[in-house]
Structure formats: C-alpha cells, structure tokens
Amino acid sequence: MVSAAHTRIKVGLHVSAGHTIAVVNFVPAPGALVTWTPDALRALTTAVRKIGSTHVDAVAFVGTGSAFGAGADLGGFQSAQSAADGEQLARDGYLAFATISRLSVPTFAFINGAAVGGALELALRCDYRTVAASARNIGLPEVRLGLLPGWGGLTSLCELVGVTGAADVAITRSLAGRYASAQEAERLGLADMVLPSDDFLAASLSWAAAVLNGSRLPIATGPAPVPWNPAAVRAAVAKRIPGVLPAVESALTLLSAWNDRYSAPVAGNRTAARLARAGDALEADTIAAFGTLLHSDECRASIYAFFAVQAARKRSRPTPARSTDLPGVTPVTHVGVVGGGLMATQLAYLFADRLDVPTHLIDLSAERVDLALERVSSQLDRSVKRGMTTTERDRIASLVTAGTDATVHAPCEMVIEAVFEDLTVKRAVWASVEDVVADTTVLLTNTSSLSIANQGEGLRHPERLIGFHFFNPVAVLPLVEIVRSVHTSQAAVDAAFALAGSLGKTAVLVKDSPGFVVNRLLTRLFSDTLELIDAGTDARAVDSALVSDGLPMTALTLLEYIGPAVQLHILETMNAGANERFRVSPSLCRIVTNNLTGYLGDDGYPSPEVTAILDQVYAVSKRMLPTTPTDIRAFLLTGLADEAWRMLAEGTVESADDIDACMILGANYPQHTGGLTPLLDRSGASVAANGVRFHALGVANAPVSV
C-alpha cells in the first residue's frame, strides 16, 4: 500500500481465467473522495512503476464504494501564484498518468461510481473501461471551472470518440453541468461495457479476462462521427452563456489542433495503438494553456464559486437515513400544500417524489382542484417522455391527493403555502391551517418577498412559521431560501434545512427582509433598468448592457417571463420600505394597465404602443441619466453593488459567499463571474458603491504576479 495525504493506493493481484491482473485500488480518507493532490499523484506513480517491473497480464484501476474518484485538489489550485505554477500542476498530472500509458500490458478502468475530472482523465488513459450500472456523475467539469482537462483528457477523448464528441463532453456538457450516467457513458463512447453494480469488481475482472482471451472484444461505441465545426460549438455556447469564455476558446484551439493532425478515433488493438503513438501530441500546448487559464480572473472566480456553492450544499446535506430524522425534528409522513397554481403543483410533485409520502393539496373550489390535478398529471406525462417509468409515474400520482377540505392537513408534519402574494391572503391561510394541524407542525411559506413575521401575526405559534422560498422552475433551480423571522425557532430552522436536503435542494439561511436575496437583487436591477428607460435612455441599449458579462437573461426578457403585473406588484411591495431604491416605474404601470407583455417585441424593438408610453413618461420626467453602453453598465452594476453591501450590513446573509451561492443556484448567474460579487469587484462597481471590495485580492481573481 502506498499512502498519500488524503488518498491511499492499494495494489492487489487477482487471477481470473488464468490471467493475473494487478488491481490498483484508490482508497480515500474517511468521508472524502479520491482527490488527486501532488502526494496522491506521486503515490500513484510509485505504485504503477512497481507493477511495471513485475509480471502481470493486465493492470486495472478501481475506486472505493460509490466513487471511482474526483479531480484535482482545487484548494491547491488556489495557492498557485503564477501561470508557471499552473503549468507545473498540469505537468505533474501528465507525468503521473504517463506511467499508465507506458505499461506494456493492457490497462482497464473499472468505473465503480462517480468519475469526475482527473479521475475520468485517468480512466480515459486506460485501454478499456467497464462501468457499474448504478454509476452517476461521470464527466469533466474543468471548462465550467474556467480551466480545461489538464492531464491529457482532451487527447484521450479525441482518440476514443473523435473531436466533435470530445467537444460535447469537455465543453458543452461541462458548461451545462451535465454528467453522464453509466448508460450515457456507454452511449457516448466513454465506457465499453455496463455491468451490474453487485459484485462489480468480480464481473469486471471476468470481462477483462475475456478481453485478454480474445473471446470478448469491445464493440465500437459512441455517436457517429460528425465533421468538426468549432464555430457551431462556439455558437451553441454563446446561446447559453453570452460573452467570450477563455476556457472554451482554449479547448477549441486544442481540439482543432488535434483535428489537424488526426482525422478519426483510434481503431483496432487499443494497447498497440497506445504504445505506438509517442506521447500526447497536445501535451505541451495543454500544459501552457492550463497555466494561463489557472491564472485568469475567470478561473479564480469559478473556483471561488465552486467552494461557495459546496459550502451551501454541505449545510443542506441529508443524513444517511431520512434527513428529517434529526434530534428535535419530527419525521415527515404527510405533507400539506395550500394552493393549486403552477408553483403549488410543482411543489406537490416534488414532495411526493422525493419524500415518498402522501401529499395533500387543497384549493378553494372543485374546479381549481381539478385543474391542479391536471397540472400534476401533465408534469408526470412530461417526466415519462424524459424517461420515467410508468411504475414510477403511478407511484407519484398515487401519493398526490387534492380537495377543498383543510382538515385533510391534520396529520401533516409539514404544510407549505404557495398562494397569491398578498399579506391578507397569506394570514387567512395560516389561520385556517393552524386550526387543524398539530402544534408541532412546521409551517412553510413560499413567499418571494412578504415578511415572515407579518404573516405570522395572530398565530398561536408564530415560532414554527418559516420562509421556504423555491425558484421557478422548481425541478431545475436547486436553491431554497430559508427565511428566519425574529419569532422563528431553531427547531423550525433545523427542520427546514433537513427538509431541503431530503428534497435534493441547497438551502441558504436568510434574514426576514423584503425580497430576501435573489428577488431583492433582481428587483433592484429591474428598478434601475426601468429608471434609465423612463429617463429616455434607449431600451435596447439598457437591456443589452450586461450581456457581455454572461448573465443568463437580460432584465427585460426576465420581466416578460415573470410577467409585468407580477413584477409591478413586487416593486410596489419593495417600494413601501425603500422607495428611493425600488421605484414604481411609470412606464411599467402603463404597460400593465394596457395589458402589454413587455417592453420589446419579437424583433427586439419597442412596439409602437410601448414607444408611445415611453415618450409620455420621458416628457414628464426629463431626467438626465447615463446613455453610453459603458456608463449604463456601470450604473446598473453599481446599483447591484450598493444593494449587496446593504444586505451584508443589515445581516440579510452572513457573507458575500452566500449572496453568490444564491445568485448561482437561484438565478443561474454564471460560474466564471463567481456569481455576482466577484464581478462587481472586477468591474469596479463595489468600490464605486462603498469604497472597498467584497473580496481581498486573490480570493476570486487572479493574484498579481510579482
């Protein structure tokens, strides 16, 4: 056994069908994943070299438990002070994995579970790969982190699935955060054979012996070759993330270089092909590109964002059994949902699916109840089209019931409301719920902006009322803002975090304040955007001002998606407490009055009706505000920085990291900007708003080389 700081490398000999196979087992520290630190890479090198000096028929690599392994040590990456440091990190990985490439016998990767980043690059170095049927999370996240696979992964992918397939895995899927299952890995060409998870090692050894005997040869897998078109890849990325991404450009350059030298994946005897090809044709260029990218602001912001999100996820991690089986937390056996609209029915589906408990939905009339059940049924039908089995569909459908009688909520340990955003309506809901549920039932409000404390006025037990704010669409966006009022008990907070974990969501604790985090920042952006437009600044210029920063949706597009009437209601609510920052836009009021869908038409220009409204508003205001793209961008970002500073000063959240986790998980803000606050630092908006940065130099940007 060879030990590293966090990973042990165990080597054992197995005989299968007369073949001696050396099995290299990656054993992580308790509670951790295999992480490729410099020590772990050296331990791997030592182990493989020892095997190379012995007589074996093949070498196989396998992980432990449900994970084959993770990637490099991102914490170590943060300590790199120059591009040269980054190049050395890439070079260390290349040198370690080169020992695998130089083995004179066939090599196998037995992918027993998650294989991410460097672990997958190691597996791709091998000649053959099996994967356990239950394996998930197989992929290369490096481009999403502002990097590229730095240990030969791009070359290995090109040799296996061709350059277009490599771009799909390393760029498109990476940026989307889409990891492959075992079955997808086989379809993509990343694995040769899916084997049962039970006795996976034994099955893999038998399969490897059959390959060595020549009685079982891997069938060529992966999609049919597609002509290389980097412009198409770049255009597809731009649709998802506007602006130039250095990691994407670097990866495309390397893939094009491979395509210029070779034209097809490796065919025939893979071991012979590996030994015949002298090294990695992209090695020097990959190492140089990796060093440059690691020393970029985009990469450092992405790594910062990764840790911010991971910290939030750890707080929401479910316990081994049921996450609500915690000291002081009542196990959930029934859930109640108040409301039958789009959000309420999404919640009913989620609770039934993830908790596997009866979920009782109520609404005001039989007609509304029928519509709610139709909405749940439609969600289930869409899930079946995406691959859900009919058995699973029937299970979820059987758990969701609906009616008009609130007494059905009597046995519920959790009741959540998702009704219209009106304080009087919400108070009436809670009064009726409290009359039928037990004193220990936790009451969850999905409000997007209303005070939790105000909702709880008049309740006998306001301490059990807590904000539990989802984001639409519920199935896609992983954030839940847990909102604690001055009355909310710690037991309710614990129950809410446990519930979020069991629902597969990431929770951030937020103080009871108007708009909480995501909606407060987005509403400030709406307010400032409309202030500029009302003052006569060109609507298209304002709407496109932040496109180059990679934000997922422009303000006016998002406003149309939310609906002008809904956004006006939110602005009016926020205006009551801070009217100087959340203006009720005169043009938005007129757009709602005239039942218009938004400011810009399908052609990207204001319609004649909107133009007339804007002319009327400007004639009254005659204000002078920024008009150039640079000044508009600065105005909008400075407003966001001002609001973020106020949130920290008020204790809305504990840190800027929480703000960024919320904006990434709840509003789809990009990784390469670090969410929001690193972007505000890089643009100068944070200093303009408050005189200081949110983060010290080097935390979410590249350190200055000396």
Side-chain angles (χ1 to χ4, degrees), residues 695-706:
H695 305 282
L697 287 170
V699 171
N701 69 299
V704 178
S705 299
V706 294

Side-chain angles (χ1 to χ4, degrees), residues 176-426:
R178 288 170 55 203
Y179 293 126
S181 64
Q183 294 72 23
E184 287 175 308
E186 184 182 36
R187 178 177 59 80
L188 292 168
L190 305 182
D192 297 299
M193 179 62 65
V194 177
L195 295 173
S197 299
D198 293 339
D199 296 323
F200 173 69
L201 178 58
S204 293
L205 287 167
S206 296
W207 186 87
V211 171
L212 295 173
N213 285 332
S215 60
R216 182 188 288 275
L217 294 177
I219 300 172
T221 57
V226 176
W228 176 232
N229 186 352
V233 177
R234 189 178 288 110
V237 169
K239 285 183 179 180
R240 181 180 180 86
I241 307 175
V244 177
L245 300 179
V248 171
E249 293 304 315
S250 293
L252 289 174
T253 297
L254 289 169
L255 291 172
S256 295
W258 189 92
N259 188 66
D260 290 342
R261 292 170 182 157
Y262 311 102
S263 59
V266 172
N269 186 306
R270 297 185 188 177
T271 307
R274 165 171 57 80
L275 294 172
R277 182 163 287 173
D280 182 346
L282 302 181
E283 180 173 345
D285 290 341
T286 298
I287 289 173
F290 188 91
T292 298
L293 290 171
L294 184 57
H295 201 60
S296 68
D297 288 337
E298 290 83 0
C299 174
R300 295 307 177 98
S302 297
I303 293 175
Y304 156 82
F306 171 83
F307 283 115
V309 170
Q310 287 300 107
R313 284 177 175 156
K314 286 180 181 178
R315 294 193 291 268
S316 306
R317 186 171 295 163
T319 56
R322 177 177 290 171
S323 64
T324 48
D325 294 341
L326 299 175
V329 177
T330 303
V332 176
T333 63
H334 293 77
V335 172
V337 178
V338 182
L342 291 174
M343 179 59 77
T345 50
Q346 288 182 76
L347 297 181
Y349 178 111
L350 177 70
F351 280 91
D353 180 22
R354 298 304 295 259
L355 299 184
D356 195 28
V357 299
T359 302
H360 311 289
L361 182 150
I362 63 168
D363 210 334
L364 295 174
S365 67
E367 292 77 15
R368 292 192 181 197
V369 167
D370 290 342
L371 181 57
L373 289 174
E374 287 177 13
R375 286 172 171 151
V376 173
S377 181
S378 294
Q379 292 179 64
L380 288 167
D381 290 343
R382 289 193 293 272
S383 296
V384 170
K385 289 180 180 178
R386 291 192 293 266
M388 176 184 283
T389 65
T390 54
T391 300
E392 183 70 0
R393 184 200 191 284
D394 292 344
R395 176 188 70 83
I396 298 171
S398 69
L399 291 170
V400 179
T401 59
T404 58
D405 184 1
T407 59
V408 72
H409 288 163
C412 296
E413 295 85 12
M414 298 270 183
V415 175
I416 186 167
E417 68 76 22
V419 299
F420 183 67
E421 283 287 279
D422 180 89
L423 185 58
T424 301
V425 172
K426 304 247 188 213

